[in-house]
């Protein structure tokens, strides 16, 4: 609240004072008190001042000159005139009293026993206390709206919090007149901006009309918002104005913050996309992009690529959160959504083995993970070729998903794909079926119902370096069963198990056959 003339009348220094005229002016605000003994007060007097005088300078004024003097006081916005009598004038002249009545300027008489310094001290103490209240209120409101801003609250939350503080209906409009937020279901006050505004700063201006207290908020060069407080039932008081001004400032601050955040996000996205998609970046450009996404140049990185089979955004968000938290305390990580159902991560791994971390994630998600594929690149060295690494992560998913021996596996490392990378690259240029050993084709075309079992047995046997016992353990059969199957294969195809060149070709063909069958499926 502000100090009013009527508050000054309650001070102990004013206990013997009399209000002679201008009774309705006691609601005027007071911000200063000054001693006036010169009729040329316009040079130094300020609006909302109380003037303390003995009327020495006006003691010889005529009635008309006294009325004119009061008119000039009113035009300067003086709040009240305190007159000490019996020093130079025995009583307050009629022209002064009538002028106070005409211009509703309170004329207050104090006796000769009341000292100027006592009055000025008490009034200034009252003004100081009020200013202190305002400062405390300002701090309280600033902290309130700062918490909202830090918490990421939007314009609607700021406006509704303001309405609870000031108990006035509040509206927020854009410059086309569309209501963005409205706290009460009442008609919008008339938006009259013909009055002279008061500029609070470079982006806030106040318009005070009969029915509204309006603040224009310059959001950017072209757009404004209008924060409108309805005042039809009662005007806003000074404390409420403080809350309104702070709320308007934080609406602007949030806009600046959001714009800055948006620019930073765009800069991050562009840098991340350049790293994984643009093969033509120079080494210095790659280092700069790494800095922007928060990963300073290091010795080793890896790219992780996650692809969702469906459109389960909620589950993908959970997986993303788990990946981020799992790596957070062990490695530096940057990520970017590449569209619906796709996320890429760049990990600055240093000396951390990321395999066990990712396998822990698989165990955590269990069946839900079957909706995802995770591809992991080889280590990216000082060349910082993240484009090649991203392609590796994509190929790991494509090839790994085809050749995985475990149907439930959904995480694939490019380094584990092995010879299938060769098949994949050859397939782009030639027909891979032409590389199959003719004896394998004989086994493929055999009418036997268990030919697939025979192929799997032969591949496992060769993987285990022609060891019957190890093969039997992997296939969960007796070693003699393995031996009988190998003999049967030899009888059908004529394979010579003692010929190392032929065995290499057969082994290669069986791997290729698995790759071709997976690609066809």
């Amino acid at each position: 609240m502000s100090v009013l003339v009527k508050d000054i009348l309650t001070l102990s220094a004013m206990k013997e004072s009399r209000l002679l005229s201008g009774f309705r002016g006691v609601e005027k605000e007071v911000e200063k008190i000054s001693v006036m003994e010169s009729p040329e007060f316009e040079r130094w007097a300020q609006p909302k001042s109380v003037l303390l005088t003995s009327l020495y300078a006006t003691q010889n004024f005529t009635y008309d000159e006294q009325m004119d003097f009061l008119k000039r006081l009113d035009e300067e916005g003086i709040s009240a005139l305190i007159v000490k009598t019996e020093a130079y004038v025995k009583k307050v002249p009629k022209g002064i009293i009538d002028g106070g009545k005409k211009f509703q300027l309170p004329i207050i008489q104090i006796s000769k026993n009341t000292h100027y310094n006592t009055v000025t001290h008490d009034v200034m103490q009252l003004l100081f206390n009020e200013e202190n209240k305002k400062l405390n209120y300002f701090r309280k409101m600033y902290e309130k709206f700062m918490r909202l801003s830090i918490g990421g609250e939007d314009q609607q939350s700021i406006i509704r919090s303001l309405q609870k503080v000031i108990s006035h209906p509040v509206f927020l409009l854009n410059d086309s007149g569309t209501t963005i937020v409205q706290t009460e279901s009442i008609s919008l006050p008339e938006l009259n901006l013909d009055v002279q505004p008061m500029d609070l700063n470079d982006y806030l201006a106040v318009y005070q009309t009969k029915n509204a207290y309006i603040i224009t908020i310059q959001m950017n060069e072209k757009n404004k918002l209008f924060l409108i407080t309805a005042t039809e039932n009662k005007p806003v008081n000074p404390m409420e104005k403080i809350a309104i001004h702070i709320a308007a400032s934080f609406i602007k601050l949030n806009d600046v913050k959001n714009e800055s955040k948006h620019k930073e996000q765009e800069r991050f996205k562009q840098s991340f996309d350049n790293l994984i998609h643009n093969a033509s970046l120079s080494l210095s450009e790659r280092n700069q992009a790494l800095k922007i996404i928060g990963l300073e140049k290091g010795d080793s990185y890896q790219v992780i690529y996650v692809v969702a089979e469906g459109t389960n955004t909620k589950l993908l968000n959970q997986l993303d959160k788990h990946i981020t938290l799992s790596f957070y305390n062990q490695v530096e990580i940057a990520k970017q959504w590449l569209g619906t159902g796709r996320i890429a991560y760049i990990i600055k791994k240093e000396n951390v083995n990321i395999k066990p971390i990712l396998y822990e994630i698989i165990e955590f998600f269990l069946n839900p993970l079957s909706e995802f594929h995770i591809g992991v690149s080889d280590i990216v060295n000082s060349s910082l070729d993240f484009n090649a690494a991203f392609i590796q992560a994509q190929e790991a998913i494509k090839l790994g998903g085809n050749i995985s021996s475990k149907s439930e596996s959904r995480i694939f490392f490019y380094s584990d794909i092995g010879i299938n990378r060769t098949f994949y690259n050859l397939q782009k240029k030639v027909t891979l079926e032409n590389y199959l050993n003719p004896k394998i084709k004989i086994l493929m075309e055999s009418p036997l119902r268990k030919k697939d079992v025979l192929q799997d047995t032969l591949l496992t046997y060769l993987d285990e370096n022609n060891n019957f016992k190890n093969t039997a353990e992997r296939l969960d059969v007796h070693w003699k069963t393995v031996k009988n199957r190998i003999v049967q294969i030899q009888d059908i195809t004529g394979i010579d198990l003692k010929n190392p060149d032929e065995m290499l070709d057969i082994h290669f063909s069986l791997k290729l056959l698995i790759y071709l069958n997976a690609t066809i499926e």
Side-chain angles (χ1 to χ4, degrees), residues 139-402:
R139 178 180 56 80
K140 179 181 176 182
M141 290 297 101
Y142 184 87
E143 290 175 351
K144 177 183 181 67
F145 288 107
M146 175 61 82
R147 285 193 295 270
L148 292 176
S149 180
I150 292 174
E153 299 292 345
D154 57 10
Q155 295 172 346
Q156 186 171 17
S157 297
I158 292 175
I159 295 302
R160 297 200 180 281
S161 294
L162 174 63
Q163 193 273 334
K164 290 178 181 178
V165 170
I166 66 175
S167 300
H168 283 268
V170 184
F171 302 79
L172 185 66
L173 277 64
N174 60 25
D175 49 11
S176 64
T178 303
T179 301
I180 301 173
V181 186
Q182 180 174 347
T183 61
E184 294 185 20
S185 299
I186 64 171
S187 299
L188 179 70
E190 182 180 353
L191 192 61
N192 178 16
L193 301 184
D194 293 335
V195 295
Q196 183 67 28
M198 178 183 72
D199 292 330
L200 296 179
N201 50 45
D202 291 340
Y203 54 87
L204 297 182
V206 175
Y207 295 82
Q208 189 155 6
T209 67
K210 180 179 179 181
N211 298 323
Y213 188 79
I214 305 166
I215 294 186
T216 61
I217 309 170
Q218 193 73 45
M219 305 303 283
N220 51 49
E221 292 182 358
K222 296 181 179 179
N223 300 318
K224 287 182 180 180
L225 292 181
F226 296 89
L227 178 57
I228 303 172
T229 303
T231 60
E232 186 172 1
N233 295 327
K234 62 173 182 177
V236 290
N237 62 47
M239 293 296 196
E240 291 170 336
K241 288 179 182 179
I242 289 174
I244 294 169
H245 296 171
I246 292 175
S249 295
F250 274 97
I251 289 173
K252 172 64 177 179
L253 177 64
N254 271 10
D255 179 70
V256 172
K257 184 177 70 173
N258 291 336
E259 184 178 353
S260 176
K261 182 179 179 182
H262 176 72
K263 287 181 179 178
E264 201 60 33
Q265 288 173 339
E266 285 299 311
R267 193 163 173 249
F268 180 98
K269 182 179 184 303
Q270 183 178 8
S271 298
F272 197 104
D273 287 346
N274 276 337
L275 280 172
I276 64 174
H277 293 307
N278 190 348
S280 64
L281 288 180
S282 67
L283 184 59
S284 63
E285 289 173 329
R286 293 171 189 173
N287 279 319
Q288 180 62 26
L290 275 176
K291 185 176 182 180
I292 291 172
I293 67 174
L295 300 178
E296 295 289 351
K297 183 181 177 182
D299 295 327
S300 59
Y301 301 85
Q302 276 181 281
V303 173
I304 299 175
Y305 182 47
V306 179
V307 179
E309 292 180 349
T311 56
N312 193 336
T313 304
K314 182 178 179 181
L315 198 57
L316 184 57
N317 282 328
Q318 291 176 355
L319 177 61
D320 170 46
K321 181 179 180 181
H322 202 69
I323 289 174
T324 303
L325 291 176
S326 297
F327 283 111
Y328 180 75
N329 292 323
Q330 303 184 62
V331 298
E332 294 180 30
I333 183 171
K335 69 179 179 182
Q336 178 65 41
W337 286 71
L338 304 180
T340 304
R342 297 183 299 130
I343 312 175
Y345 304 84
I346 295 178
I347 300 217
K348 182 180 176 183
K349 63 186 296 295
E350 300 301 336
N351 296 318
V352 176
N353 184 0
I354 70 172
K355 263 192 178 182
I357 301 174
L358 288 172
Y359 282 126
E360 281 184 16
I361 294 172
I362 291 177
E363 293 177 6
F364 178 83
F365 272 81
L366 296 176
N367 290 333
L369 194 65
S370 64
E371 298 189 22
F372 303 101
H373 295 286
I374 302 175
V376 184
S377 75
D378 276 344
I379 293 175
V380 180
N381 57 25
S382 57
S383 67
L384 305 179
D385 192 352
F386 292 99
N387 174 248
F390 181 61
I391 293 173
Q392 288 177 357
Q394 290 176 303
E395 290 183 356
I397 292 175
K398 185 173 183 178
L399 300 177
N402 289 337

Side-chain angles (χ1 to χ4, degrees), residues 505-521:
D505 192 25
I506 293 295
H507 202 176
F508 178 88
S509 295
L510 288 170
K511 295 279 189 181
L512 177 57
L513 184 61
I514 292 174
Y515 176 83
L516 290 172
N517 289 338
T519 305
I520 292 171
E521 292 173 3

Side-chain angles (χ1 to χ4, degrees), residues 472 478-485:
H478 196 275
W479 71 269
K480 288 186 178 180
T481 301
V482 174
K483 185 175 181 179
N484 290 336
R485 290 177 183 174

